[in-house]
Amino acid sequence: QVQLVESGGGLVQPGGSLRLSCAASGSIFGINSMGWYRQAPGKQREFVAVSISGGTTNYADSVKGRFTISRDNAKNTVYLQMNSLKPEDTAIYYCNVVHRQGSAMSALWGQGTQVTVSS
């Protein structure tokens, strides 16, 4: 059974940086996309960034120019480099992988990692 294991969250001061990692354990094939979402207290989960197989990346407007998503396909791992962090970036960050399972597409979610931006 495939699981997504996230790491790299923590407490950082405004203006600081963090790097999140998400590794897929187990056998996984036909990955369509790997991405990140976040959920702040009292808010709905929102899209942050995605890396689509083939090289396309997309970002939420709120993180463009500050966050960078990258992938290591050999390791089935996706990263999120977060720079110039702001208090409003505080949230639980979730990894998301969409992959082919049989004739359908299936979505996997990580357990989430807390990012807190505060002085």
Side-chain angles (χ1 to χ4, degrees), residues 47-65:
F47 166 77
V48 176
V50 67
S51 172
I52 301 171
S53 296
T56 301
T57 57
N58 287 312
Y59 296 91
D61 288 343
S62 58
V63 306
K64 279 182 183 176

Side-chain angles (χ1 to χ4, degrees), residues 24 26 28 31 34 71-79:
I28 184 170
I31 292 178
M34 303 182 80
R71 285 167 62 169
D72 184 335
N73 292 325
K75 297 180 179 180
N76 285 335
T77 299
V78 62
Y79 306 96

Side-chain angles (χ1 to χ4, degrees), residues 13-92:
Q13 292 186 341
S17 298
L18 282 175
R19 188 190 193 212
L20 305 183
S21 299
C22 172
S25 64
S27 297
I28 184 170
F29 303 98
I31 292 178
N32 180 65
S33 66
M34 303 182 80
W36 294 91
Y37 288 71
R38 67 186 181 185
Q39 188 167 16
K43 295 187 177 181
Q44 290 188 333
R45 190 174 298 190
E46 65 176 7
F47 166 77
V48 176
V50 67
S51 172
I52 301 171
S53 296
T56 301
T57 57
N58 287 312
Y59 296 91
D61 288 343
S62 58
V63 306
K64 279 182 183 176
R66 300 188 298 121
F67 291 10
T68 302
I69 189 169
S70 61
R71 285 167 62 169
D72 184 335
N73 292 325
K75 297 180 179 180
N76 285 335
T77 299
V78 62
Y79 306 96
L80 186 67
Q81 178 66 43
M82 305 185 293
N83 298 328
S84 302
L85 282 161
K86 304 175 182 180
E88 50 263 43
D89 294 318
T90 295
I92 299 174

